[in-house]
Amino acid sequence: MALSHAIMTALLEENLSGYDLAKKFDMSLGFFWQASHQQIYQELKKMLERGWLSSDTVEQAGKPNKILYALTGEGKSALDNWVVAETKARSAKEDLYVKLYNIGHCDPEPLIGEIADRQLQCQRQLALYLKIKERHYAEPETLPVNRKGIYLALSAGIRQQQMHIDWCDEALELLGAVA
Amino acid sequence: MALSHAIMTALLEENLSGYDLAKKFDMSLGFFWQASHQQIYQELKKMLERGWLSSDTVEQAGKPNKILYALTGEGKSALDNWVVAETKARSAKEDLYVKLYNIGHCDPEPLIGEIADRQLQCQRQLALYLKIKERHYAEPETLPVNRKGIYLALSAGIRQQQMHIDWCDEALELLGAVA
DNA sequence: TTAACTTATGCAACATTTTGCATATTTTGT
DNA sequence: ACAAAATATGCAAAATGTTGCATAAGTTAA
């Protein structure tokens, strides 16, 4: 299990529709776990069958109806079990590093370009994270426990981006892209 | 495509059997792309059909026969195309960060324990990487291009581990696991 | 009024990955 | 002589994830 647990985590504090979840997975939670709306709708259906969620169709004025999902007691138990269980560290699966092994065997220019692009993306993402930190998590020690958890995830994101930006610097310099 | 390209990358410098590849994916290349032997054997078969690899059965004294695979011209072209093409950045899919969102809603102790364990694992992995760096990549600027690529992958691994260790420090302190 | 966009849900086909098992030979330790 | 471990390859089923398509209602702006 995996996506199901991320969905239940999102439902801890509020009930959401598939559409809401898809949006949430495009930010915040989605910084660390991406999922398409197709995947989410499919998973929601399975979770209903398993009894982990309950659903409630809500008619909306001025918008199509939506189906709100809520975590059941059974779902909460399954979630707790997962949180407590050991997670085997996932393989990184970073294409870029595998590509680097090829650099003596093909034209290095496109690869250098890709590293430069990647650095820009990271810088943008980092700026976003830093803004969120500044606004909502400026003083982590004073936060309630649940917000501390979210702050730590954010902090990991910040460190991750910063590290990658630094690595790109090293790579571009070593590969001669910087004079 | 993905695993197939990692396999072809491994075959750039030497011909290998499925078993050899499985071992290689447990170290070096496998630091950035993990694959089980089942997956590798299946993929090798597909790649043979596609014409990306050629195979040669080798009888061995004192060991079961093995099938050595070699990259074909067609395979090399496919690999070159992949290296040059843009890779969309993969989602991180880090369970640990998703779990953190749950920390206000369940017993935090097991999670703190998992972070501490993770830190130890990272420290071990870091020590290994540093040893490899010291032995084979002490002076990156003087390396030939293809070794520079491998060095950069290693450097990314080192930075990754170091970053994660630092983050674990922050997390353990904020969650009160350190007095 | 018509096109483009947002909200909202879903199917089907395909690709990828994981898990568990099955087989066989040879080497090494007891 | 026997058990365990390493070498070597593979199938089948299930879980997961991606891609492309389909549908529908309501909103906004030219």
Side-chain angles (χ1 to χ4, degrees), chain B residues 40-51:
Chain B
I40 289 168
Y41 284 120
Q42 283 170 45
E43 195 66 32
L44 284 171
K45 195 174 281 184
K46 280 186 223 157
M47 293 167 75
L48 257 189
E49 279 169 28
R50 262 185 238 145

Side-chain angles (χ1 to χ4, degrees), chain B residues 60-81:
Chain B
Q60 300 184 103
K63 283 180 194 173
N65 294 349
K66 66 177 174 181
I67 304 170
L68 272 190
Y69 292 90
L71 194 55
T72 63
E74 237 186 301
K76 182 65 168 72
S77 300
L79 183 57
D80 288 347
N81 288 339

Side-chain angles (χ1 to χ4, degrees), chain B residues 1 3 33 36-39 42 62-64:
Chain B
M1 303 304 140
L3 176 56
W33 198 285
S36 63
H37 79 268
Q38 290 92 335
Q39 221 188 320
Q42 283 170 45
K63 283 180 194 173

Side-chain angles (χ1 to χ4, degrees), chain A residues 22-178:
Chain A
K23 271 193 301 182
K24 196 152 183 171
F25 273 83
D26 262 354
M27 2 166 320
S28 133
L29 242 196
F31 293 155
F32 313 107
W33 198 286
Q34 286 181 299
S36 62
H37 79 268
Q38 290 92 334
Q39 218 188 322
I40 290 169
Y41 284 122
Q42 283 170 45
E43 195 65 33
L44 284 172
K45 195 174 283 184
K46 279 186 223 159
M47 293 167 75
L48 257 189
E49 278 169 28
R50 262 184 239 147
W52 288 1
L53 302 182
S54 60
S55 68
D56 185 24
T57 301
V58 177
E59 299 198 18
Q60 299 184 105
K63 281 180 196 172
N65 294 351
K66 67 178 175 182
I67 305 170
L68 271 189
Y69 292 90
L71 195 55
T72 63
E74 237 185 301
K76 182 62 168 73
S77 300
L79 182 59
D80 288 347
N81 288 340
W82 171 72
V83 173
V84 165
E86 287 252 0
T87 308
K88 42 184 164 39
R90 291 176 170 265
S91 46
K93 303 262 158 108
E94 256 288 8
D95 295 55
L96 194 52
Y97 301 148
V98 178
K99 285 185 179 182
L100 281 171
Y101 281 73
N102 284 271
I103 211 167
H105 301 268
C106 66
D107 178 14
E109 281 311 319
L111 205 39
I112 291 172
E114 197 173 344
I115 294 171
D117 289 350
R118 192 69 77 92
Q119 192 175 37
L120 277 175
Q121 286 164 30
C122 286
Q123 279 160 347
R124 259 183 251 117
Q125 196 68 24
L126 177 62
L128 175 60
Y129 288 167
L130 288 176
K131 197 168 282 179
I132 296 172
K133 180 179 174 181
E134 215 176 282
R135 290 218 192 129
H136 304 288
Y137 302 94
E139 286 173 85
E141 319 79 36
T142 66
L143 295 168
V145 196
N146 60 325
R147 307 275 319 285
K148 277 185 182 171
I150 301 176
Y151 161 77
L152 284 172
L154 179 66
S155 171
I158 290 170
R159 288 169 185 274
Q160 169 79 39
Q161 301 303 322
Q162 189 59 63
M163 177 217 57
H164 210 257
I165 290 167
D166 293 344
W167 176 83
C168 288
D169 273 337
E170 183 187 16
L172 292 173
E173 197 163 334
L174 187 63
L175 298 177
V178 180

Side-chain angles (χ1 to χ4, degrees), chain B residues 160-175:
Chain B
Q160 169 80 39
Q161 301 303 323
Q162 189 58 65
M163 176 216 56
H164 209 257
I165 291 167
D166 293 344
W167 177 83
C168 289
D169 274 337
E170 182 187 16
L172 292 174
E173 196 163 332
L174 186 63
L175 298 176

